[in-house]
Amino acid sequence: MATWRYSTMPGGAEAVSSRNAVGRFVDFSHGGGGGRRVIKPDQLMLIRKWQLRPVKRSFSVRNVSSEQQQKVKDLVTQQQGSYNPFPPDASSIASSIKYHSEFTPLFSPEKFDPPKAFFATAQSIRDALIINWNATYDYYERLNVKQAYYLSMEFLQGRALLNAIGNLGLTGAYAEALSKLGHNLENIASQEPDAALGNGGLGRLASCFLDSLATLNYPAWGYGLRYRYGLFKQRITKDGQEEVAENWLEMSNPWEIVRNDVAYPIKFYGKVLTDSDGKKHWIGGEDIQAVAYDVPIPGYETKTTINLRLWSTKAPSGDFDLSVFNSGKHTQAAEALYNAEKICYVLYPGDESLEGQILRLKQQYTLCSASLQDIIARFERRSGAKVKWDEFPDKVAVQMNDTHPTLCIPELMRILIDVKGLSWKEAWNITQRTVAYTNHTVLPEALEKWSLELMQKLLPRHMEIIEMIDEELIRTIVSEHGKADSNLLEKKLKQMRILENVELPAAFSDLLVKPKKSPVAVPSDEFGESEEEEEAEAEEEKEEEKLKPAGGKIKSVKEGTQGKKKKIPEPVPEPPKLVRMANLCVVGGHAVNGVAAIHSEIVKDEVFNDFFQLWPEKFQNKTNGVTPRRWIRFCNPELSKIITSWTGSEDWVLNTEKLSELRKFADNEDLQIQWRAAKRSNKLKVASLIKERTGYIVSPDSMFDIQVKRIHEYKRQLLNILGIVYRYKKMKEMSASERKKKFVPRVCIFGGKAFATYVQAKRIVKFITDVGATVNHDPDIGDLLKVVFVPDYNVSVAELLIPASELSQHISTAGMEASGTSNMKFAMNGCILIGTLDGANVEIREEVGEENFFLFGAQAHEIAGLRKERAEGKFVPDPRFEEVKKFIKSGVFGSSNYNELLGSLEGNEGFGRADYFLVGKDFPSYIECQEKVDETYKDQKVWTRMSIMNTAGSYNFSSDRTIHEYAREIWNIKPVELP
């Protein structure tokens, strides 16, 4: 048998290059020592990675399990400059990629085409991430540091390949390695599907936070669900938006690591029994398992690699009924398996049906229960033989991203009391000190409420705990406000209680007793009617007599046996009994934060004002931020080079305050020329994307005007498209020379998904595409105006659109957008914003300068008065608004009926009417502001200066800044840099 020799010195590369080395004996020689053993494929992989450079320090590599721990002997040597987990040698990397294409294949061996090359490349970089992941994990275990856990129903990651190799400083080496193998890095990266784990800003924020946590060396993990189909893949047809299942996992996910040894039981339904000693037991019901899938999250130029742990659900194999299956009842035999697996099928399943509501609640509980069981297991393991539960909040911080993870509160209580044996008082103290809540909305429909009956059925023990928390809250409210003013107390209880439309507990039954009225005898006839009722009937009969046709008779709705009416009162429906999840979050946690300055004030003054008066110390602001790595450094390399050149270093990537140095060069002609060239280069890429996705050809010399975000009435895509229609109408009324003089050429780009059951949002998508179909084929208009809806908007599309944008629309009704994060991304990339004073727009405008922001519209403090004015019939619409609606109704955009869409803007009251989002009110201000945009764009020096000032002023919107604030003011954790 041949002996293979491995050398750690340069020159030994070919010794183990053949795949035939696997299974043979290898002589490991280093200096005077060595050994002889069989080489395995994973060992060969590591040999290849490290064989081209001298090893300065020893290290160990292993897979981490939840039970067995092996202490890290050392860590990878820190290279000068960018940190690389293995030498950035293109030949070594190419060998690694080739190895994975042969030994961890997902494709047949005949070809090395782009999809196969992508998976092999991703697996090769994942090896490096696992090394760092293991080192990070072990270091945290050894130090037993306090760790933050970020729970979110969404993580909108985008593609991971370029981000990972960029964070590790290996972009050039991987580009060269793939070139050696006959491929282009950019083309290979484009083979990666976006991970379908989120939908909008909530999920993207969570992913930006993970990037910053890793980059800043904070000990933290993310927890989410591993959705098989995500939200949906969006197609645009002649009928508007069409939803089809997302297929991101069909070819598997090269980044995830399944941890089959990390699985936790999850229970639904069943019943609660009480022991003679008062201890509760939740038994019976439906049992499933949550299995962990780990996704390594690398920091930028650091060894720290944290974890995103995603839960996938399954049923125990014993739940598959083999005898039933063999009897031919195949569906029935596998029912338990399907019920378990479908929990993680879709993000936000439709909840209009009871089944959909149950599935959503199951999703939320699965995330909370599995994550907390995992967190507690880690705490117990790190604590050693003696667990001190009162130290739990000193080691664990749980952040609930919106109300979806609210069940963390009763679940932590359940585990501590029922499983760990703590008292209610101890468990409640621990829970309140551990959990914190981020509020993301002021919209009533987004403040989650669940049916009390449904929760009692699905989670009986948790409902008991929630009722007890509600009692604790009632006791606190009574203690704070006293019983003297029963009206005030009743109002406070109605607004603050966790349980809505639920009678007070027995202990407080006499709290709001009001004096009874003295009974008054009311004479009645033999049919039980009072004198007042008889008088009313007489009046009705007189009215009927007037309306009676000649010789006819109007029959009463109900007649007694003697011809007299017997009134049966309409039953008054009982209001539904609900659980207010947001109220539970506020009560059960130690901190509540909004995500922009104006939003946090609305949270304190309106949304949770009663709680703010009770616990002002709980309420904070944490303005959102976005990672400058993905949103400038990697997605806009041309602009990044310019920034680096003019600021003198790449320090701005980690310290965005350096961006502010661009201000002093804003009028420099050389910088402006470079700036415009970079923007045009990015616009060319978007022009190619638009042609590929829609077939439309657009000019890169036009202004690129972009609004990309979730389709929702409050975000007012409808205002945007109505403005475009008005623009188009005015163009048509002019001669060719007049319109060319008046208007600058524009490409108006939309993107975003309307939720599948949100009918009005889908009507908006349909209308946008109809306008585009008309405008884009109008020979009179040509390149002067194009309207494009980019289908299936996601992170990868955003990474192309945002660097190319020149004007971006953030035009929500003031006071309704919590913060926004796309506005920050656009500003970072030198895009000028048009918007209202809403969300983070307020702070962005302050930072970039009022003169560099196009402002219009009503302000948040005016909104309530304007709606009241509308309800009273006092609103007088602007003639231009009426003009544009009439133009649409004329049929110029095809045969589709837009009455229901435009009907939402009509009337003074009623659901779906009365222009609740004030499109008509802000329309004149909006189109006047757009005229100002045109005039400014004609002077490219002024426009470019504004663009530079936007990038320079965006320094304060890095998620690094946000994470430092969370860590210091909510989680109380400190950076832990690996040695």
Side-chain angles (χ1 to χ4, degrees):
M1 181 175 286
T3 297
W4 293 75
R5 182 171 299 276
Y6 163 66
S7 170
T8 60
M9 300 300 293
E14 298 304 317
V16 290
S17 62
S18 171
R19 58 180 172 148
N20 295 325
V22 177
R24 297 176 183 263
F25 287 100
V26 180
D27 185 2
F28 285 81
S29 300
H30 186 92
R36 203 162 170 271
R37 55 190 172 90
V38 175
I39 185 169
K40 297 177 181 178
D42 58 336
Q43 295 166 333
L44 178 63
M45 185 67 249
L46 291 172
I47 291 169
R48 287 181 178 161
K49 285 189 186 310
W50 293 89
Q51 61 197 354
L52 295 182
R53 297 287 178 91
V55 178
K56 297 180 181 179
R57 297 168 70 182
S58 63
F59 66 97
S60 64
V61 180
R62 63 178 183 79
N63 285 326
V64 177
S65 74
S66 61
E67 299 297 331
Q68 297 180 346
Q69 300 298 310
Q70 176 183 330
K71 297 301 179 184
V72 171
K73 294 178 181 177
D74 209 338
L75 300 166
V76 183
T77 303
Q78 174 76 47
Q79 305 291 326
Q80 290 184 346
S82 297
Y83 170 70
N84 301 314
F86 55 88
D89 184 283
S91 296
S92 175
I93 291 171
S95 177
S96 169
I97 294 171
K98 193 172 180 182
Y99 169 84
H100 277 292
S101 73
E102 295 176 359
F103 289 101
T104 52
L106 293 165
F107 299 84
S108 56
E110 293 85 8
K111 299 177 183 178
F112 189 63
D113 54 9
K116 183 176 182 178
F118 159 67
F119 273 88
T121 302
Q123 287 160 335
S124 106
I125 197 69
R126 191 187 72 173
D127 290 343
L129 298 183
I130 290 175
I131 292 171
N132 287 355
W133 191 99
N134 288 340
T136 303
Y137 183 95
D138 281 340
Y139 198 60
Y140 292 168
E141 288 281 296
R142 273 197 288 154
L143 294 185
N144 190 17
V145 294
K146 182 174 184 179
Q147 193 161 328
Y149 299 97
Y150 197 81
L151 272 65
S152 178
M153 286 294 284
E154 296 186 43
F155 286 91
L156 199 57
Q157 293 178 286
R159 292 170 175 162
L161 181 62
L162 291 179
N163 188 72
I165 64 176
N167 276 359
L168 294 172
L170 295 171
T171 303
Y174 263 85
E176 185 181 346
L178 283 167
S179 179
K180 289 176 181 287
L181 297 172
H183 287 290
N184 172 272
L185 174 59
E186 189 172 329
N187 183 45
I188 294 305
S190 70
Q191 302 298 313
E192 180 177 4
D194 276 39
L197 299 171
N199 174 37
L202 184 82
R204 186 53 238 171
L205 177 77
S207 292
C208 282
F209 277 9
L210 292 186
D211 175 272
S212 287
L213 285 163
T215 297
L216 301 174
N217 302 302
Y218 280 112
W221 275 22
Y223 280 107
L225 294 180
R226 181 180 178 267
Y227 303 107
R228 183 170 175 180
Y229 301 112
L231 189 69
F232 57 80
K233 188 184 287 289
Q234 181 193 51
R235 291 178 181 166
I236 301 298
T237 70
K238 62 181 178 60
D239 297 318
Q241 172 179 292
E242 179 184 317
E243 305 91 25
V244 296
E246 178 62 72
N247 61 351
W248 77 288
L249 283 175
E250 283 191 359
M251 301 296 285
S252 84
N253 177 10
W255 304 107
E256 66 185 15
I257 308 157
V258 60
R259 307 293 194 187
N260 288 313
D261 60 329
V262 182
Y264 297 99
I266 310 293
K267 183 184 291 295
F268 305 109
Y269 304 108
K271 58 184 178 180
V272 181
L273 300 180
T274 306
D275 280 350
S276 56
D277 61 357
K279 188 173 182 181
K280 301 279 188 174
H281 297 276
W282 183 17
I283 64 168
E286 176 186 323
D287 295 303
I288 66 165
Q289 284 186 320
V291 180
Y293 284 73
D294 287 347
V295 180
I297 307 294
Y300 180 76
E301 294 193 347
T302 176
K303 301 171 186 177
T304 300
T305 297
I306 64 172
N307 192 36
L308 170 58
R309 177 156 284 181
L310 302 172
W311 300 108
S312 185
T313 47
K314 67 178 186 178
S317 56
D319 285 357
F320 178 71
D321 197 324
L322 189 59
S323 62
V324 171
F325 185 86
N326 287 333
S327 71
K329 299 176 182 177
H330 303 150
T331 303
Q332 182 181 335
E335 185 177 5
L337 279 66
Y338 169 71
N339 284 337
E341 291 174 358
K342 73 179 181 181
I343 292 172
C344 291
Y345 273 0
V346 175
L347 169 65
Y348 303 141
D351 60 355
E352 292 188 346
S353 66
L354 176 61
E355 291 77 9
Q357 294 168 21
I358 291 171
L359 190 55
R360 275 209 190 189
L361 195 53
K362 280 186 171 183
Q363 285 186 336
Q364 295 186 5
Y365 179 61
T366 298
L367 169 64
C368 296
S369 181
S371 302
L372 282 172
Q373 289 183 69
D374 196 44
I375 291 166
I376 288 170
R378 191 171 301 111
F379 170 75
E380 290 180 313
R381 186 175 61 248
R382 290 180 181 180
S383 297
K386 191 173 182 180
V387 178
K388 297 180 179 178
W389 287 106
D390 60 327
E391 295 180 357
F392 188 79
D394 300 325
K395 297 296 182 182
V396 171
V398 174
Q399 188 70 35
M400 301 182 296
N401 192 28
D402 215 348
T403 52
H404 307 123
T406 305
L407 289 169
C408 280
I409 294 167
E411 174 66 359
L412 182 54
M413 291 290 290
R414 182 192 70 84
I415 294 173
L416 292 176
I417 295 170
D418 297 357
V419 181
K420 305 303 176 182
L422 274 65
S423 68
W424 173 273
K425 184 177 179 180
E426 291 170 325
W428 186 232
N429 178 268
I430 290 168
T431 299
Q432 286 190 303
R433 290 167 55 208
T434 301
V435 176
Y437 162 52
T438 299
N439 173 275
H440 282 280
T441 186
V442 299
L443 293 177
E445 66 266 26
L447 291 174
E448 268 191 308
K449 297 178 183 180
W450 285 102
S451 160
L452 184 146
E453 182 182 2
L454 174 58
M455 288 195 67
Q456 282 178 329
K457 183 178 179 183
L458 191 70
L459 302 168
R461 179 59 178 136
H462 297 78
M463 200 58 242
E464 287 185 353
I465 292 170
I466 291 170
E467 287 170 347
M468 294 176 72
I469 295 172
D470 189 55
E471 283 195 38
E472 290 270 351
L473 176 60
I474 293 169
R475 197 170 289 110
T476 301
I477 294 170
V478 173
S479 173
E480 178 73 15
H481 297 286
K483 302 178 183 180
D485 189 339
S486 61
N487 289 328
L488 174 65
L489 186 57
E490 183 177 16
K491 180 184 175 185
K492 292 291 182 182
L493 290 170
K494 185 177 181 180
Q495 292 174 340
M496 298 177 71
R497 284 189 64 192
I498 296 164
L499 304 182
E500 183 177 331
N501 301 322
V502 177
E503 291 185 3
L504 288 169
F508 303 96
S509 58
D510 61 343
L511 198 60
L512 300 175
V513 174
K514 295 184 178 179
K516 294 181 180 180
K517 293 182 180 179
S518 302
V520 179
V522 180
S524 61
D525 63 13
E526 58 186 307
F527 295 99
E529 292 177 314
S530 67
E531 291 178 1
E532 289 84 353
E533 289 173 326
E534 286 181 336
E535 289 174 6
E537 279 187 9
E539 289 299 319
E540 287 178 10
E541 286 171 1
K542 288 179 184 177
E543 292 299 318
E544 287 178 357
E545 199 65 34
K546 294 177 184 177
L547 298 171
K548 188 186 299 180
K553 177 186 177 183
I554 296 177
K555 189 175 182 180
S556 299
V557 178
K558 285 285 182 182
E559 293 186 353
T561 57
Q562 297 181 19
K564 297 186 75 174
K565 291 182 187 175
K566 184 175 182 180
K567 286 201 167 182
I568 300 177
E570 286 289 328
V572 179
E574 202 172 304
K577 295 179 180 180
L578 302 171
V579 182
R580 297 161 162 166
M581 305 305 270
N583 289 26
L584 179 55
C585 286
V586 176
V587 175
H590 64 90
V592 180
N593 71 277
V595 288
I598 186 173
H599 171 237
S600 295
E601 289 307 306
I602 292 171
V603 165
K604 291 189 289 187
D605 296 343
E606 298 176 25
V607 184
F608 298 125
N609 180 254
D610 293 294
F611 289 107
F612 175 65
Q613 292 178 34
L614 183 61
W615 299 307
E617 70 283 355
K618 280 192 181 188
F619 290 81
Q620 303 184 17
N621 175 61
K622 298 286 173 282
T623 297
N624 283 344
V626 299
T627 168
R629 269 74 63 184
R630 183 178 287 269
W631 294 111
I632 311 182
R633 179 67 178 82
F634 301 143
C635 78
N636 200 344
E638 293 191 43
L639 183 64
S640 296
K641 289 175 185 176
I642 293 170
I643 294 171
T644 297
S645 172
W646 286 83
T647 60
S649 73
E650 279 201 340
D651 291 351
W652 61 270
V653 182
L654 287 171
N655 181 9
T656 52
E657 289 186 3
K658 296 283 184 180
L659 291 174
S660 63
E661 295 179 9
L662 291 170
R663 285 173 172 155
K664 60 188 176 187
F665 306 116
D667 292 307
N668 187 287
E669 188 174 349
D670 290 338
L671 174 58
Q672 289 202 359
I673 290 170
Q674 294 173 26
W675 201 269
R676 286 193 290 269
K679 184 67 73 175
R680 193 175 193 282
S681 175
N682 289 323
K683 289 167 72 175
L684 286 168
K685 294 176 186 176
V686 169
S688 296
L689 172 75
I690 289 172
K691 184 178 180 182
E692 175 193 333
R693 294 284 186 94
T694 70
Y696 292 133
I697 296 173
V698 300
S699 169
D701 296 319
S702 302
M703 177 203 295
F704 277 25
D705 172 353
I706 299 177
Q707 186 180 19
V708 283
K709 52 186 73 221
R710 180 166 52 95
I711 310 296
H712 198 290
E713 288 173 276
Y714 90 84
K715 294 179 183 286
R716 299 204 293 191
Q717 287 90 352
L718 183 56
L719 175 60
N720 186 350
I721 193 62
L722 289 178
I724 292 168
V725 169
Y726 182 81
R727 185 184 189 89
Y728 175 63
K729 183 177 185 295
K730 293 304 167 187
M731 285 181 175
K732 294 292 285 182
E733 292 169 354
M734 296 178 181
S735 66
S737 59
E738 286 175 329
R739 69 174 71 105
K740 189 174 181 180
K741 183 179 179 181
K742 172 75 173 176
F743 298 101
V744 299
R746 279 205 206 194
V747 179
C748 300
I749 302 170
F750 293 84
K753 295 178 180 179
F755 192 67
T757 58
Y758 190 174
V759 176
Q760 191 73 339
K762 295 176 79 168
R763 287 181 184 134
I764 293 170
V765 174
K766 165 73 171 143
F767 182 55
I768 292 169
T769 57
D770 285 350
V771 172
T774 298
V775 172
N776 299 344
H777 294 101
D778 190 331
D780 293 339
I781 303 302
D783 284 339
L784 206 54
L785 181 62
K786 297 291 184 186
V787 181
V788 177
F789 193 101
V790 179
D792 207 37
Y793 175 68
N794 57 21
V795 175
S796 296
V797 173
E799 288 172 341
L800 289 171
L801 293 180
I802 290 172
S805 62
E806 292 171 287
L807 180 75
S808 182
Q809 309 219 18
H810 302 274
I811 57 178
S812 53
T813 310
M816 302 200 77
E817 183 74 86
S819 172
T821 54
S822 64
N823 44 8
M824 301 171 184
K825 298 163 196 167
F826 280 103
M828 277 183 173
N829 283 272
C831 178
I832 302 164
L833 309 188
I834 179 171
T836 53
L837 283 179
D838 196 27
N841 283 1
V842 177
E843 292 157 271
I844 290 173
R845 183 168 175 264
E846 290 174 357
E847 295 289 352
V848 305
E850 295 179 6
E851 69 279 9
N852 301 309
F853 185 106
F854 293 107
L855 177 67
F856 76 95
Q859 297 187 31
H861 68 272
E862 301 175 295
I863 300 302
L866 290 170
R867 287 185 178 138
K868 182 181 179 184
E869 177 187 88
R870 182 69 178 247
E872 293 170 351
K874 297 177 181 177
F875 172 68
V876 179
D878 188 274
R880 291 166 290 185
F881 187 58
E882 296 302 293
E883 179 185 350
V884 78
K885 288 190 292 181
K886 185 177 179 182
F887 184 59
I888 294 166
K889 291 174 183 177
S890 71
V892 67
F893 300 115
S895 59
S896 296
N897 187 329
Y898 306 114
N899 289 341
E900 289 180 313
L901 176 63
L902 297 177
S904 69
L905 307 175
E906 310 294 349
N908 295 321
E909 58 184 348
F911 180 77
R913 291 179 63 79
D915 194 10
Y916 184 78
F917 300 100
L918 303 180
V919 174
K921 175 65 182 178
D922 281 350
F923 184 78
S925 173
Y926 176 70
I927 59 173
E928 289 161 11
C929 192
Q930 286 285 15
E931 291 171 0
K932 184 179 177 183
V933 170
D934 275 329
E935 288 303 311
T936 307
Y937 192 78
K938 290 174 184 176
D939 188 336
Q940 279 294 293
K941 285 188 177 181
V942 171
W943 188 273
T944 306
R945 184 185 192 281
M946 293 172 70
S947 174
I948 294 168
M949 292 298 284
N950 267 268
T951 298
S954 64
Y955 67 90
N956 206 29
F957 298 104
S958 165
S959 52
D960 295 354
R961 182 266 311 155
T962 314
I963 285 300
H964 278 312
E965 292 179 3
Y966 271 98
R968 181 176 62 249
E969 297 165 17
I970 296 181
W971 303 333
N972 192 27
I973 61 172
K974 296 180 180 179
V976 178
E977 189 169 356
L978 277 69

